[in-house]
Amino acid sequence: MKGMTIIVKTISSWVKLLIFLFGIYIVLFGHLTPGGGFAGGVIIASSYVLLMLAFGREFVEKNLSLTASSRLDCVGALMFVAIALVGMFYGAASFFWNFIHQQYLADRATEFKLVSAGIIPLCNIAIGLKVGASLFLVIFALSVFCNDFRCKGSARELM
Amino acid sequence: MSDIPLVLPAFVCIPLVAAFLLPILGSFGRKGRVVATALANLAALSLLAMSIASTNQFSVYNVGRWSIPLGINMVLDGFSALFLITVNLVSSAALLFSVRYMEQYTAKPKYLSLFMLMVAGMNGVVLTGDLFNLFVFLEVASIASYALVGFGCDDEQLEASFKYMVLGEVGSMFILLAIGLVYGATGMLNMAYISKAIQNNPTNVVLCFALALFIAGFGLKAALVPFHAWLPDAHSSAPAPISAMLSGILIKVLGVYALVRTIFSIFGISTTVGTLLVVLGVVNMVTGAFLAIGQGDLKRLLAYSSISQVGYIFLGIGLGGALLAAGASPVWASLAILGGLFHLLNHAVSKSLLFLTSGSVEMAAGTRQLDQLGGLAEKLPLTRASCAVASASIVGIPPFGGFWSKLILVIAAIGAGVYWAAALIVAVSVCTLIMYLKVHRYVFLGELSETRQQIKESRGSMAVAMICLACLCVFLGLVFLAPALRAELLEPAAKVLCDGVGYADKIMEFSKDMIVCAD
Amino acid sequence: MPYAMCFLLFMIGLYCAVVKKNMVKIVIGLAVMEYAVNLFLIMLGFRVNGAAPIVDKTCYDPATGRVTAGFLNAAVDPLPQALVLTSIVIGLGTLALLISICIRTYEKYGTFDITQIRKLKG
């Protein structure tokens, strides 16, 4: 997998940034507009998948190594649990308690107020991290499997 | 009571944090892996301690302070507490065993992570009071178990994993469709409120269809006989501690617990469903026992024996349910349910111990084909002793737990006038005796082959795990002689099932005076 | 009637998963089953001429300070959408695992035909 033609490479190196930014936008505005952590995470992962298709797997691995992405994956999940746990120890509240809720009932889901939905944007960020990293890992792992097999298959044919 | 509500989410939270912390730790070289292993064991032990502390209590926890039916709640009652203890007991033993056993595989942090996810899923299934949440936790536990069955990436393990996964997913889809139907018919997802809605409208066709789908879906997960094909493959191919988890608790939590909770607490038991459970139980008992005797592979034999023993559990609970619905003899009904639940506890402990010993045999001798083994008694004295204890318990030889649970089932069946069931319980016990005698005859007695003179007994954490479970087998036999333990653990669990749909009233009563933050 | 179509789709998926011999086709059948259930869940919340269930300031009745009855009657049920989102995520996880197991099995056996992949018997 050495990548595609120069046209695809050039276009995708421009487009990848836009896709990545769009993913971040979807994550951050998940509490106001349709979307959220999962959808945003998928878009972020897809920007890396585009890179993988255009430039080949090795190029992407240089940018975002497997260990790093699996750590990011775990950090995302841990962040989510941590947010839930903070709610638990915040005053006499409970698990998943929306602890940034002072303004919550007064002006819920107002534009230009990021914390208007309490912990939901924070949760979205955590989920976006988790989904982005894990989906990237899934596609990466599948491509590794296929590639291994193709090498073995051609070796078998040669023999 | 003030500190108990904090505990309930922790049952899910601790293994979940552990599951995601361990791969990070494990990626920092060898020391990190050691720390990760220690941490996993610590988490399992703390869960065990917490679950022992939570017996004989009733508590409801509203997640995020959203009051039901808007929010999700977690419910701890006697029935959940019994399963919590079983889950955490077996999982801590299996995890201890795998410290040493899993050295032969690579990627141990990933194994630990998946293991912890499975524990989190099972604890969640047991504790949740929301139908869709039950499905989510069920899927978490099942996906982790699919991956763990195929963990070795050998031909057979992948094949077993694929088979298990396809059937498991079909079961999950049945369950999800049933949940959709229930939601469509009642407009609720909270178990207590669904139960109330069903009481008001008992003869809804959609709900009957949903109940049938639930029985099919959870039956697939519990390997009830028409759907049992995946179980022997999956349970025999997985690594030994995972086989112990799957056979010991996973089929019981995802199958028995979820099915019984749905039937008894949500839909309300009827004579038809009770009889159906009895019939399924009997078919399971007989088929499993006959198929097990013919097996030549040690772990496959144990897996078929699991099918047979799950039949006992369903027989006891179904008999109790049918009697309750008929309203004839509540004493015998509660006794039958008690017997079924006690057998569940006994079987969880003894079957997981048997699978651990099979792992020890396989590790020492390098094979698990019965005809290639033999004469291991001298070389593996500890494995042999613990295998003997577990077999004795599962067959039902007097001082051990299995004897008492089968005795209770027989007494309840005779008391209720179902003599054929009592006769079958005894007959299948004889079959079980034959199959475990076969195991001992082929594995531990006879000639030791020349090539196996050098094999060594398993040591370290594997030995400790086996000794702990063997002691527990003996201890469970004494539970019935000590009324205090029985009153703590088993009787509350049986009482929950006898109360049936009284579950809903109890939850609503409890959560009436909780803080309401929703408008 | 739409519910019946959903059920038909579910049965098609089930048929495909149970009868087909090719592993990939079995996976496709499972996916079809899952989408049928998702479709069913979504349709439970459907309302003719429904509005998106997003509460903003226009939905409040200024007199009482509560959400207006008109909005409550028009808004579609948001819960099935949340359920479907969750079940899609779960489906993604299972699908990825299934496909990876398929690939590994193909690597080992060199075939997708389940009648030839049977080392386990009994």
Side-chain angles (χ1 to χ4, degrees):
Chain A
M1 277 173 75
K2 276 285 167 281
M4 298 190 180
T5 59
I6 184 90
I7 302 173
V8 180
K9 281 188 179 175
T10 319
I11 296 289
S12 56
S13 65
W14 294 345
V15 168
K16 67 156 199 249
L17 202 67
L18 291 177
I19 296 179
F20 196 81
L21 277 177
F22 182 61
I24 291 176
Y25 162 81
I26 294 278
V27 170
L28 289 185
F29 285 78
H31 59 295
L32 297 176
T33 55
F38 181 72
V42 171
I43 295 169
I44 289 175
S46 72
S47 76
Y48 274 95
V49 173
L50 179 71
L51 274 189
M52 203 191 295
L53 289 175
F55 288 90
R57 208 176 57 231
E58 292 78 12
F59 180 82
V60 177
E61 203 176 0
K62 246 177 272 168
N63 274 335
L64 181 66
S65 78
L66 274 188
T67 346
S69 54
S70 95
R71 276 182 202 164
L72 268 183
D73 180 19
C74 293
V75 166
L78 281 178
M79 254 175 80
F80 190 73
V81 183
I83 290 165
L85 278 179
V86 169
M88 199 155 143
F89 296 112
Y90 200 86
S94 79
F95 196 56
F96 269 113
W97 170 239
N98 196 336
F99 57 91
I100 320 177
H101 75 295
Q102 283 84 357
Q103 303 280 305
Y104 183 54
L105 289 176
D107 50 20
R108 69 180 80 186
T110 319
E111 295 85 349
F112 308 116
K113 274 196 175 176
L114 192 59
V115 290
S116 60
I119 59 169
I120 295 173
L122 296 180
C123 287
N124 270 337
I125 292 171
I127 297 171
L129 201 61
K130 162 90 190 149
V131 172
S134 56
L135 203 64
F136 167 71
L137 275 177
V138 164
I139 292 169
F140 194 94
L142 286 179
S143 85
V144 170
F145 286 164
C146 289
N147 210 40
D148 280 0
F149 173 68
R150 207 171 298 147
C151 294
K152 267 189 213 154
S154 55
R156 207 176 295 149
E157 277 163 27
L158 283 176
M159 285 194 294
Chain B
M1 275 313 262
S2 62
D3 58 335
I4 292 306
L6 264 178
V7 172
L8 289 191
F11 277 112
V12 182
C13 210
I14 289 177
L16 212 56
V17 169
F20 293 114
L21 203 59
L22 298 179
I24 299 187
L25 283 173
S27 63
F28 291 113
R30 200 182 139 63
K31 266 186 191 157
R33 280 201 291 281
V34 172
V35 174
T37 317
L39 209 64
N41 278 296
L42 195 67
L45 285 178
S46 62
L47 282 174
L48 178 60
M50 272 162 47
S51 58
I52 289 173
S54 69
T55 49
N56 204 4
Q57 285 175 5
F58 182 81
S59 123
V60 179
Y61 188 92
N62 289 352
V63 175
R65 276 214 221 158
W66 293 94
S67 62
I68 52 172
L70 289 172
I72 291 170
N73 63 348
M74 294 175 119
V75 182
L76 175 78
D77 57 10
F79 191 48
S80 314
L82 175 71
F83 275 85
L84 265 186
I85 285 197
T86 318
V87 167
N88 292 310
L89 204 64
V90 175
S91 66
S92 35
L95 199 58
L96 198 61
F97 187 84
S98 49
V99 170
R100 202 177 165 84
Y101 185 81
M102 293 308 286
E103 293 294 331
Q104 49 184 324
Y105 292 86
T106 52
K108 200 170 168 195
K110 291 201 179 71
Y111 166 82
L112 292 173
S113 169
L114 285 171
F115 192 99
M116 278 310 186
L117 267 183
M118 195 158 90
V119 173
M122 281 191 283
N123 280 343
V125 166
V126 168
L127 281 177
T128 185
D130 183 276
L131 208 49
F132 190 75
N133 208 19
L134 186 135
F135 172 74
V136 172
F137 280 125
L138 187 125
E139 280 295 275
V140 169
S142 332
I143 292 179
S145 70
Y146 305 145
L148 283 170
V149 166
F151 196 74
C153 281
D154 286 341
D155 304 9
E156 286 141 36
Q157 293 176 343
L158 288 171
E159 184 191 337
S161 176
F162 185 76
K163 214 185 250 183
Y164 176 28
M165 203 160 170
V166 168
L167 285 172
E169 276 310 291
V170 170
S172 298
M173 285 307 121
F174 279 170
I175 296 165
L176 187 56
L177 186 62
I179 291 172
L181 287 170
V182 166
Y183 180 72
T186 62
M188 308 277 184
L189 280 175
N190 189 281
M191 290 187 191
Y193 279 80
I194 291 172
S195 170
K196 278 280 170 211
I198 290 175
Q199 302 316 302
N200 296 335
N201 186 11
T203 52
N204 191 330
V205 182
V206 176
L207 287 174
C208 291
F209 183 51
L211 181 59
L213 282 174
F214 271 128
I215 292 177
F218 291 132
L220 259 164
K221 299 269 180 191
L224 288 179
V225 148
F227 312 122
H228 70 288
W230 59 269
L231 186 138
D233 295 345
H235 289 203
S236 60
S237 304
I242 297 308
S243 309
M245 289 289 280
L246 292 177
S247 240
I249 46 183
L250 194 82
I251 53 171
K252 301 202 180 70
V253 170
L254 303 192
V256 180
Y257 173 84
L259 185 56
V260 169
R261 178 65 94 193
T262 322
I263 290 176
F264 278 75
S265 299
I266 299 180
F267 283 88
I269 187 79
S270 63
T271 326
T272 328
V273 178
T275 319
L276 180 68
L277 285 186
V278 171
V279 170
L280 285 173
V282 167
V283 171
N284 252 34
M285 271 163 63
V286 177
T287 324
F290 278 115
L291 286 173
I293 291 178
Q295 294 304 313
D297 179 326
L298 175 57
K299 276 171 101 177
R300 275 186 99 75
L301 190 150
L302 296 180
Y304 274 113
S305 157
S306 278
I307 295 178
S308 166
Q309 302 297 319
V310 166
Y312 278 99
I313 299 165
F314 272 111
L315 174 65
I317 294 175
L319 188 63
L323 290 177
L324 273 181
S329 43
V331 182
W332 299 121
S334 66
L335 198 63
I337 291 177
L338 190 78
L341 293 177
F342 189 38
H343 194 70
L344 184 144
L345 187 58
N346 280 322
H347 177 247
V349 172
S350 49
K351 186 48 68 64
S352 50
L353 177 54
L354 278 169
F355 269 112
L356 294 188
T357 55
S358 82
S360 167
V361 166
E362 193 185 353
M363 203 175 173
T367 179
R368 48 173 204 259
Q369 293 300 322
L370 288 176
D371 48 359
Q372 294 168 23
L373 290 163
L376 295 178
E378 278 174 41
K379 296 284 174 189
L380 306 174
L382 179 66
T383 309
R384 190 210 177 178
S386 44
C387 184
V389 169
S391 318
S393 175
I394 221 165
V395 171
I397 290 172
F400 298 103
F403 168 71
W404 299 105
S405 53
K406 284 185 184 177
L407 186 68
I408 297 167
L409 283 177
V410 170
I411 292 174
I414 291 175
V418 195
Y419 298 107
W420 57 271
L424 260 176
I425 291 171
V426 177
V428 174
S429 287
V430 174
C431 288
T432 319
L433 180 65
I434 294 171
M435 74 178 108
Y436 284 103
L437 282 180
K438 181 180 165 185
V439 169
H440 278 269
R441 160 75 186 73
Y442 279 99
V443 177
F444 295 111
L445 304 179
E447 288 283 302
L448 185 65
S449 74
E450 288 297 317
T451 50
R452 295 218 179 85
Q453 296 297 341
Q454 302 304 320
I455 61 172
K456 289 200 184 72
E457 172 66 292
S458 51
R459 276 172 302 169
S461 71
M462 285 168 72
V464 174
M466 286 196 291
I467 292 171
C468 287
L469 280 181
C471 291
L472 211 63
C473 273
V474 180
F475 171 74
L476 280 176
L478 303 176
V479 165
F480 257 77
L481 305 177
L485 282 166
R486 201 173 15 159
E488 274 294 300
L489 191 59
L490 290 170
E491 278 167 3
K495 193 170 174 303
V496 169
L497 293 191
C498 292
D499 286 349
V501 287
Y503 170 80
D505 293 326
K506 234 173 150 185
I507 288 179
M508 286 180 184
E509 185 67 27
F510 196 91
S511 41
K512 201 168 56 186
D513 44 28
M514 278 193 172
I515 313 145
V516 178
C517 79
D519 55 342
Chain C
M1 187 61 199
Y3 295 125
M5 297 303 280
C6 253
F7 194 69
L8 186 68
L9 195 60
F10 184 82
M11 290 323 262
I12 290 172
L14 185 61
Y15 171 83
C16 184
V18 171
V19 173
K20 289 292 170 189
K21 298 278 183 281
N22 189 318
M23 283 172 88
V24 178
K25 284 184 186 163
I26 292 175
V27 175
I28 293 172
L30 286 177
V32 169
M33 271 172 88
E34 193 198 317
Y35 297 145
V37 177
N38 287 350
L39 193 62
F40 175 71
L41 283 175
I42 273 291
M43 282 200 312
L44 286 177
F46 177 74
R47 235 174 225 185
V48 183
N49 299 326
I54 298 172
V55 182
D56 58 14
K57 292 203 173 100
T58 56
C59 301
Y60 283 97
D61 190 347
T64 57
R66 298 190 69 96
V67 181
T68 55
F71 175 74
L72 284 183
N73 290 330
V76 298
D77 189 352
L79 192 63
Q81 302 178 7
L83 302 190
V84 168
L85 202 60
T86 318
S87 93
I88 286 174
V89 176
I90 292 172
L92 177 80
T94 22
L95 198 63
L97 194 56
L98 267 170
I99 289 292
S100 62
I101 288 176
C102 280
I103 293 175
R104 295 307 283 266
T105 317
Y106 187 64
E107 221 171 273
K108 301 277 182 195
Y109 288 86
T111 175
F112 276 130
D113 190 350
I114 53 166
T115 53
Q116 290 172 25
I117 303 174
R118 41 184 318 128
K119 288 197 178 170
L120 296 166
K121 271 193 222 104

